[in-house]
Amino acid sequence: MNYSRRTQAHTDSLPGEIPQRQDIRDLSQKQRYLYLEGLKKFQNVPTDNPLSYFQIAGIHGRPYQTWPKAWPDKKPNTDIKPAKNTKFQGPYLALFESALQSHVKEIARGISSNDPNKKEYTDLAENFRIPYWDWASQKNEIVPQIALDPDYREEGPKSSESVTEKGIKDYNPLFAFRFPEGTPNNIRVGLSGKLNETTVRYPDPQGRKDNILDKIKTFRDEPSGKGRLPVFRPEHNLTERTAWILQAYDTYMAMSNNGLRATPGYKEVVDATNYGSLEDIHNAVHTLVGGGGHMSSVPVSAFDPLFWLHHTNIDRLFAIWQALHQNDSKSETYVLTRPTHRGNFALDADQDEDIDTRLYPFRPNTEHDSWYTSNGVKRTQPFGYSYPETAKLPYPVTENARSDLRKDLNRIYPPPAELIRQSKLHVRTAGQDVLSRAHVLSQMKAKEIPATAEKFESLVQALPKQEELLQISLEPSKPVLRDLAPGNKYLEWLTNIKAEKHTLDGAYTVHVFLGPPQEESTSLWPSAPTHVGTFAPLGQSSDTECGKCQDDQRDHTQVTGQIPLTIALIERYLAGIIDDLSEESVVPYLTENLHWRVVKADGTVLPNRSDVAGLLVFVVSNEVTLPPDDGEFPVYAPTVKVHPSITTNPQGNGRGDGTGLTRADVPAALLS
């Protein structure tokens, strides 16, 4: 049997001929039917088959066995980290896609030849590609609605290949994966400690429904919530975080991973510009979707069906970043060369991991000693898929093509600079997506309404129509976005966070607020109006079987995260709470209103934030120059300014139980 990554297109195919991976919400009804039926069939393949859902999911972690077992010369995959390596992720997803597509094709073949739509189903199956879920889109929730209902079904023709025709009770394969008989207990438990028959999200021993996934479902089901979910959307900061990484980060090292890059001697803030990363955002989504369930635990996360939608979106974002910034003549725009020190699954100790390192366990063919490398997976098209944003791009990417891509991204993930630029052009709808939240914030401040998820939900449901809000915003007395950038320059504001990855078993989160948290349930914090963003290290416990994780624990490896504050500050500007984005307005506001809290794996608040080893929180600003048009990105100043006064208490110590940065911790060069 050929276990290689099987391709669906030749390298000389034209981009327009290559099927696209689509956002799941853009699939047609027939495509959804094939996808769900094929996924059910895939999930029920016996576990002794290397191309079973169980074995392919297990490549990502537990049961930590060599895949496929036909390679006796390889040690167990305790050092494989697909989430860490964006190059590894491409072949991994293509393997999953190839296996799933075989079942989708079988479903189509099983449709009666008398069905008038059989050919259409067969053609759709032939071009099937795994969908993604764009959790960063302003129009999407953090979890697709289709995955929240265990009873969701998609109507379609009867297929002799459907699992229901084989005696298996029908179910929603995106809601959970049913563990087959014999599944090891350490796969069934997740972080909850409870043995489960299926993958779980937000497991709660009391059975309470007080988490963001339930809020999304109930809000969408309310008549008054129709069309207003983007306003209520939990963790809405993901849009801004994604735009920031795609635009402001132009080297692979900075964009791709969250390892701390610093010089010892003070509290490691020398590389304060690059605290964010695609991995940082990836980790937050894992944790927010899982809520202590399987998606929150790296060794078992791939068993949750949403893992594949999430990682396909990460692959998509990486492909977009490549198109924007990659230069094949400059390896630093594509790969990070670094020593392995203790060695790993692919390399011996002290060998460099580089562009030619083998991406075990994936191979392009069955020839002896043939393996994928980072150098061989630079493009998606040769492997038979593309994404809507990259489908028609020429390679190498021309400047005109990049300009068109920037325009698309400004529409999909509108950053602060684009909102302000449109306002300067007197575009009537400029910033309309922030008006609703600004209106709610102004009401809460004027009426002293508690900043809870429930109160926020009720205010959102009672919002005036968008056109009415636009009319109000255009009144002469109202603040306008164009005034935020005199001379076409303004300040971006960001919260930087660092901490040891595996402290507290790596299962903690740091939540950033503008205003004291008033929501009692920590699982609802991302739905609260004062909540800005979440930092999640996605570490592992002290008894982990992961070899690299064991090394990182011994080394006290630290990771970083970055939560942009600018959109939240713009909302408060439009609400009349702050005057502008200048230091004179923002520093005093953040000194009083920036808060951060730490939540443990069990959902309780950590009493002393300094118990998180290495935790450090501080604020930086970056001067941004507006672009001349939407085909250009803003110009970001090469360095940031650190503002330790925001995170210092009146006694001169760090706020947040000593986890805030103080002036004494920062070199003078970063203060100016």
Side-chain angles (χ1 to χ4, degrees), residues 289-598:
V289 170
H294 286 80
M295 270 288 279
S296 301
S297 177
V298 171
V300 296
S301 60
F303 292 98
D304 188 316
L306 285 181
F307 172 95
W308 304 98
L309 293 170
H310 170 39
H311 275 250
T312 305
N313 194 44
I314 292 292
D315 184 67
R316 166 181 163 267
L317 293 173
F318 177 53
I320 291 172
W321 183 89
Q322 284 180 282
L324 290 169
H325 301 288
Q326 186 171 310
N327 183 335
D328 285 348
S329 67
K330 298 179 180 179
S331 62
E332 69 271 15
T333 67
Y334 178 65
V335 73
L336 171 62
T337 300
R338 56 185 175 185
T340 59
H341 300 303
R342 294 187 177 95
N344 58 30
F345 184 77
L347 299 170
D348 294 327
D350 295 322
Q351 283 188 292
D352 281 347
E353 183 179 45
D354 58 24
I355 198 168
D356 294 315
T357 300
R358 294 170 174 177
L359 300 177
Y360 292 128
F362 306 110
R363 56 170 89 219
N365 53 59
T366 55
E367 294 179 8
H368 177 67
D369 210 31
S370 175
W371 306 97
Y372 277 112
T373 66
S374 295
N375 198 34
V377 295
K378 286 184 177 181
R379 307 283 183 254
T380 67
Q381 283 86 345
F383 298 113
Y385 72 92
S386 62
Y387 292 104
E389 298 84 3
T390 64
K392 295 183 179 180
L393 292 177
Y395 287 98
V397 183
T398 64
E399 183 52 38
N400 284 341
R402 281 187 171 142
S403 177
D404 289 340
L405 180 55
R406 294 184 194 110
K407 291 177 182 178
D408 286 343
L409 294 178
N410 277 327
R411 174 181 49 83
I412 301 169
Y413 311 124
E418 180 61 14
L419 304 183
I420 297 171
R421 189 191 70 82
Q422 288 188 13
S423 178
K424 281 185 173 288
L425 294 175
H426 293 273
V427 175
R428 184 173 180 275
T429 57
Q432 66 176 357
D433 292 324
V434 298
L435 284 176
S436 298
R437 292 181 69 92
H439 181 80
V440 171
L441 289 170
S442 65
Q443 284 189 307
M444 298 189 92
K445 182 177 185 295
K447 299 177 182 179
E448 298 183 345
I449 299 172
T452 65
E454 181 180 2
K455 295 293 186 183
F456 183 49
E457 180 181 4
S458 63
L459 288 171
V460 170
Q461 290 175 338
L463 274 171
K465 292 182 178 180
Q466 187 70 51
E467 179 60 29
E468 185 178 341
L469 286 175
L470 272 174
Q471 288 289 353
I472 295 172
S473 72
L474 296 174
E475 294 175 1
S477 61
K478 298 295 181 181
V480 289
L481 293 177
R482 56 183 168 272
D483 291 343
L484 289 173
N488 287 331
K489 295 180 184 293
Y490 74 98
L491 293 180
E492 286 274 357
W493 293 88
L494 308 107
T495 301
N496 283 355
I497 303 169
K498 79 165 187 68
E500 283 194 19
K501 179 171 184 174
H502 300 287
T503 188
L504 302 179
D505 284 339
Y508 65 92
T509 51
V510 180
H511 295 261
V512 175
F513 299 84
L514 290 186
Q518 296 177 295
E519 173 59 59
E520 292 185 5
S521 172
T522 60
S523 60
L524 284 178
W525 276 1
S527 297
T530 55
H531 187 271
V532 182
T534 305
F535 165 77
L538 209 62
Q540 297 197 34
S541 61
S542 56
D543 61 353
T544 179
E545 306 104 305
C546 166
K548 183 183 184 306
C549 305
Q550 294 168 3
D551 292 344
D552 288 347
Q553 288 171 352
R554 284 191 293 267
D555 294 341
H556 301 281
T557 295
Q558 298 191 41
V559 293
T560 66
Q562 196 168 62
I563 310 294
L565 301 172
T566 311
I567 291 290
L569 291 169
I570 287 175
E571 291 169 354
R572 284 149 180 81
Y573 163 72
L574 294 175
I577 297 172
I578 62 174
D579 292 334
D580 50 43
L581 293 178
S582 68
E583 288 186 28
E584 292 75 17
S585 294
V586 173
V587 170
Y589 177 78
L590 293 181
T591 302
E592 182 178 351
N593 291 282
L594 180 70
H595 296 264
W596 59 96
R597 300 287 187 273
V598 177

Side-chain angles (χ1 to χ4, degrees), residues 162-349:
S162 173
V163 295
T164 57
E165 296 298 309
K166 313 293 184 183
I168 296 174
K169 185 179 178 180
D170 205 3
Y171 67 101
N172 180 358
L174 285 177
F175 182 77
F177 169 63
R178 296 175 177 177
F179 292 121
E181 185 177 350
T183 298
N185 287 347
N186 65 357
I187 291 177
R188 292 170 59 193
V189 294
L191 291 176
S192 66
K194 176 185 176 183
L195 292 179
N196 301 285
E197 298 302 317
T198 69
T199 53
V200 293
R201 304 172 194 133
Y202 285 87
D204 190 309
Q206 284 75 45
R208 296 174 301 176
K209 292 190 174 182
D210 61 350
N211 61 71
I212 58 172
L213 303 192
D214 182 70
K215 277 290 183 187
I216 290 170
K217 187 175 186 302
T218 57
F219 189 90
R220 186 179 279 278
D221 290 342
E222 290 286 337
S224 57
K226 186 177 182 181
R228 290 178 172 149
L229 189 57
V231 183
F232 180 72
R233 185 170 68 110
E235 203 74 14
H236 71 293
N237 180 260
L238 286 171
T239 304
E240 187 179 5
R241 286 171 84 169
T242 300
W244 179 253
I245 295 300
L246 291 176
Q247 293 193 3
Y249 282 59
D250 58 5
T251 66
Y252 178 79
M253 182 178 73
M255 176 281 302
S256 64
N257 77 93
N258 64 351
L260 177 67
R261 296 173 288 276
T263 298
Y266 58 97
K267 286 191 176 179
E268 292 106 345
V269 297
V270 69
D271 194 17
T273 304
N274 295 318
Y275 263 50
S277 65
L278 189 57
E279 184 178 14
D280 171 43
I281 302 172
H282 156 272
N283 291 354
V285 174
H286 261 280
T287 302
L288 291 162
V289 170
H294 286 80
M295 270 288 279
S296 301
S297 177
V298 171
V300 296
S301 60
F303 292 98
D304 188 316
L306 285 181
F307 172 95
W308 304 98
L309 293 170
H310 170 39
H311 275 250
T312 305
N313 194 44
I314 292 292
D315 184 67
R316 166 181 163 267
L317 293 173
F318 177 53
I320 291 172
W321 183 89
Q322 284 180 282
L324 290 169
H325 301 288
Q326 186 171 310
N327 183 335
D328 285 348
S329 67
K330 298 179 180 179
S331 62
E332 69 271 15
T333 67
Y334 178 65
V335 73
L336 171 62
T337 300
R338 56 185 175 185
T340 59
H341 300 303
R342 294 187 177 95
N344 58 30
F345 184 77
L347 299 170
D348 294 327

